[in-house]
Amino acid sequence: MTTTASPTATPTPFVDPARWPDVARVPDVPLRAAAAARLLRRAASRRGLRVELPGGRLLRPAPPGAPVLRLNHPRDFLHRVGAGGLIGFGESYQAGDWDSPDLVALLTALAAAPETLVPTGARWLRRFYVQRPPDAELSTAANARRNIGRHYDLSNDLFALFLDPTMSYSSALFPTAPTDAPLPAQAPPGADATPPGTAPSPGRAPLPGNVPLPAHVPNPGRMPLGGRTLLATHDGLPAAQHRKIDRLLDLARVGPGTRLLEIGTGWGELALRAAARGATVVSLTLSEQQLALARQRIAAAGQADRAEVRLCDYRAAEGQYDAVVSVEMIEAVGRPFWPDYFTTLDRVLAPGGRVALQAITMPHDRMLASSRTYTWILKYIFPGGLVPSVRAIEETAARHTRLRLTRADTFGPHYAETLRLWRERFTERSPQVAALGFDEVFRRMWELYLAHSEAGFRTGYLDLHQLLLTRDGDRS
């Protein structure tokens, strides 16, 4: 029987070899390409993928509705994957070697139990093709500003194209359908509940527990959560971002007179919300573009007397603060420097103070397996970082400081929806991205980054936590 698909022509993007040397270069590794071909067949079989070849052929029969991997240049794809593994997989997408009509569905299928894709007997070969992170990208005090600049200093106008008006580049916290029961918060035994005397923020949604996610969400924007539904829309994103910020400030007990240190400014929305509560805020960033716009936004809001933004590495933080907050910054610190990060938090925290973190996390065993692996995300998106586990955060803080993890709330599904909204807006506005001077290879790189991240949260490979750390004796 001949298995065919409807042929489609996908234009190959121009790859500037000066800008994208490793994307422009196609390796010649016949033996490794043959191994990659076998791995592709295994993945297609085990994940039920529809692999479409040029000329309308299918690699193998696939069930109706199967996620689609459309190979435009099979030879180049196989040689890139054979030579570079997952880095080659990403670079082959940048080069236009493959496409998918539903990138998230495909990556979600591949992200489910990824360790099973490689046969057990062949896993020892991993050390021959998996690269180690280069020393030049370690997030030392000397390297950190360059690492941060490669992502956050791309262009404020670029981020404004797909973020909501709050310019919040972290997970939002969406409401649930009005008829749904409240979502329970997760906290360790003995952890404190909502701080006494602190009123919940208006419209704040409780956080979900560890709820398994479906591999494919049929109705984006109304994401099921154990029988409940997230209401995630573009119009509702600013309020959902404020809900997230307010909840973190509540966790840190930020109010009138609070001396607050923020590590990782973003574009200033959290500092603005804290200043509006009557706090005095010092916010640290290593991004020059974020520094300029955050200061501008704070001045425009009339809060310059309450909120100060400094171009400063977290290791150089000075002063004493009643509360320290940091939103999705620990992922950029890098495992070798986690002790420095938590030591800094402990050093600047006043007696009785509270540390509230929002952090992307992954299971501890996966974190250990990936901690010395150079990935496509590290090479092209976030150099020098590592997504921690909650266990690693708890153990590092306990080993090097007086801080103890006293509460951990999880809401990974909210991040999947946040990323969907960003990805949709980024894709819709690709002409404006091009008008800013970013080429097609860059656009495809960012589409893959956003879809890859969304798939990680949809499968549970990634999670998101708001964490509270206090000192022994300071938990009241």
Side-chain angles (χ1 to χ4, degrees):
M1 181 181 74
T2 301
T3 308
T4 61
S6 300
T8 56
T10 301
T12 300
F14 168 74
V15 181
D16 181 353
R19 173 70 179 86
W20 309 101
D22 290 346
V23 179
R25 181 172 49 249
V26 180
D28 185 18
V29 287
L31 292 178
R32 291 188 176 192
R38 290 192 293 271
L39 182 61
L40 177 61
R41 290 182 179 276
R42 178 183 175 91
S45 174
R46 294 206 163 206
R47 297 290 185 267
L49 306 182
R50 178 183 175 92
V51 180
E52 299 180 357
L53 304 172
R57 295 174 296 126
L58 294 182
L59 182 67
R60 64 184 307 278
V68 175
L69 172 63
R70 182 175 298 139
L71 291 180
N72 304 314
H73 307 289
R75 181 199 175 277
D76 291 357
F77 171 85
L78 294 173
H79 281 254
R80 290 184 199 271
V81 173
L86 291 177
I87 291 179
F89 182 75
E91 289 174 343
S92 67
Y93 185 79
Q94 291 173 263
D97 294 340
W98 65 273
D99 273 296
S100 176
D102 189 340
L103 197 53
V104 173
L106 174 65
L107 296 176
T108 297
L110 292 173
E115 67 279 358
T116 64
L117 290 178
V118 179
T120 304
R123 291 176 192 171
W124 65 275
L125 294 169
R126 186 175 185 269
R127 66 177 181 267
F128 293 110
Y129 65 86
V130 170
Q131 302 177 46
R132 299 302 184 193
D135 290 343
E137 293 183 5
L138 283 174
S139 289
T140 62
N143 294 340
R145 185 177 294 187
R146 181 175 66 249
N147 285 349
I148 292 297
R150 280 179 53 187
H151 189 88
Y152 295 96
D153 285 341
L154 285 167
S155 164
N156 285 339
D157 291 337
L158 171 70
F159 287 98
L161 284 177
F162 69 92
L163 298 180
D164 68 275
T166 72
M167 290 294 286
S168 297
Y169 190 37
S170 53
S171 179
L173 180 57
F174 297 99
T176 56
T179 55
D180 291 340
L183 300 176
Q186 293 286 312
D192 61 355
T194 300
T198 303
S201 302
R204 191 183 75 199
L207 297 182
N210 291 309
V211 181
L213 298 180
H216 176 66
V217 179
N219 185 11
R222 297 182 63 84
M223 185 174 180
L225 276 170
R228 307 176 184 95
T229 301
L230 288 184
L231 302 179
T233 65
H234 288 284
D235 289 344
L237 187 53
Q241 291 290 3
H242 284 163
R243 186 178 293 108
K244 173 272 305 293
I245 291 171
D246 291 344
R247 190 193 186 286
L248 198 68
L249 293 177
D250 288 350
L251 197 61
R253 293 186 183 171
V254 174
T258 300
R259 298 169 297 169
L260 174 66
L261 176 67
E262 179 188 22
I263 298 179
T265 305
W267 285 274
E269 191 69 16
L270 186 145
L272 283 169
R273 300 287 285 184
R277 291 184 175 208
T280 301
V281 186
V282 173
S283 185
L284 309 183
T285 182
L286 286 179
S287 166
E288 294 186 6
Q289 292 216 20
Q290 287 187 335
L291 174 80
L293 185 54
R295 284 177 171 174
Q296 178 183 326
R297 296 180 73 221
I298 288 168
Q303 296 287 5
D305 59 330
R306 288 196 172 275
E308 176 189 358
V309 185
R310 301 173 182 172
L311 192 68
C312 179
D313 189 281
Y314 68 89
R315 285 162 281 219
E318 297 177 344
Q320 287 282 288
Y321 302 90
D322 305 307
V324 181
V325 297
S326 188
V327 178
E328 296 177 31
M329 185 272 177
I330 190 174
E331 302 88 345
V333 169
R335 189 180 183 187
F337 307 102
W338 289 344
D340 295 343
Y341 178 77
F342 286 102
T343 298
T344 297
L345 300 182
D346 193 23
R347 173 172 56 81
V348 301
L349 191 67
R354 296 160 75 90
V355 175
L357 308 178
Q358 180 162 305
I360 300 171
T361 62
M362 67 167 61
H364 191 69
D365 57 341
R366 291 176 178 171
M367 184 211 77
L368 293 176
S370 63
S371 63
R372 290 181 55 80
T373 300
Y374 194 43
T375 65
W376 180 82
I377 288 287
L378 289 177
K379 183 174 181 177
Y380 288 100
I381 307 297
F382 293 115
L386 177 67
V387 171
S389 65
V390 174
R391 175 179 165 184
I393 291 172
E394 183 174 22
E395 291 179 352
T396 304
R399 186 175 299 119
H400 297 278
T401 75
R402 296 165 292 168
L403 297 172
R404 299 295 180 266
L405 180 65
T406 54
R407 179 166 180 162
D409 298 319
T410 178
F411 51 105
H414 293 257
Y415 218 150
E417 290 300 284
T418 304
L419 284 156
R420 176 183 62 80
L421 296 175
W422 291 345
R423 177 178 52 81
E424 290 174 352
R425 189 59 55 83
F426 183 88
T427 303
E428 290 168 1
R429 297 182 175 177
S430 59
Q432 292 96 313
V433 175
L436 292 174
F438 297 100
D439 64 12
E440 184 74 359
V441 177
F442 178 90
R443 182 186 68 77
R444 292 177 65 86
M445 177 179 77
W446 265 63
E447 285 180 353
L448 183 62
Y449 147 56
L450 293 170
H452 169 275
S453 301
E454 182 181 341
F457 285 101
R458 294 206 183 279
T459 59
Y461 188 93
L462 297 174
D463 202 349
L464 192 85
H465 284 82
Q466 284 191 353
L467 307 169
L468 174 66
L469 294 97
T470 59
R471 295 195 185 102
D472 286 330
D474 289 347
R475 300 181 184 180
S476 59

